[in-house]
Amino acid sequence: TTPMLWLSTVAGKDNMDPAKLSLLTDFLVNFMERSQNGVVLVDGLEYLVTSNDFLRVLKSIDRWTETAMASRSRLIMSIDPKAFDPKELALLERNREVVRPDAKETWQIIPERI
């Protein structure tokens, strides 16, 4: 029941060309609007930037973020900070909660009652 989408230039049933950013945005936005309280994981944003202009990707991420907040979905994005210059990284982190693997905070997951 959970849709999985692979960014790939190779055609396939569950593949999407990373250069077609507007299609990806439509897919993610539609998913979040349909599934209140859903979770979206975008892994490797740097791959999207290799196929698109950085500012175009940033604009899409802003739209995903707005939709996630409005639909009470969770948007989790994984990036390699070494793939971006400091200005780009600052723009990606702006208005978002950043979790780093080397952070001193200790995270505790408390399961919800079903």
Side-chain angles (χ1 to χ4, degrees), residues 43-105:
D43 185 32
L45 283 173
E46 54 277 356
Y47 182 57
L48 278 178
V49 175
T50 63
S51 299
N52 300 278
D53 175 66
F54 174 80
L55 290 178
R56 190 167 169 243
V57 172
L58 183 63
K59 184 176 179 183
S60 293
I61 292 170
D62 287 341
R63 179 149 182 236
W64 306 343
T65 303
E66 290 171 11
T67 304
M69 289 188 296
S71 66
R72 302 192 68 186
S73 296
R74 289 163 216 59
L75 174 62
I76 302 166
M77 297 179 289
S78 167
I79 66 166
D80 180 358
K82 295 178 283 192
F84 299 96
D85 68 39
K87 181 182 175 184
E88 291 172 337
L89 192 57
L91 289 170
L92 287 169
E93 292 177 349
R94 185 184 68 207
N95 299 327
R96 293 176 182 85
E97 182 178 345
V98 177
V99 179
R100 290 184 171 76
D102 59 349
K104 293 185 188 331
E105 302 94 338

Side-chain angles (χ1 to χ4, degrees), residues 1 8-9 18 21 24 33-34 40 64 67 69-70 73 76 80-82 93 95 109 112-113:
T1 61
S8 174
T9 56
L21 192 55
L24 175 62
E33 288 175 345
R34 281 192 331 267
V40 173
W64 306 343
T67 304
M69 289 188 296
S73 296
I76 302 166
D80 180 358
K82 295 178 283 192
E93 292 177 349
N95 299 327
I109 299 173
E112 294 181 20
R113 295 179 95 159

Side-chain angles (χ1 to χ4, degrees), residues 3-14:
M4 299 278 262
L5 190 62
W6 293 96
L7 297 177
S8 174
T9 56
V10 177
K13 177 180 160 259
D14 295 321

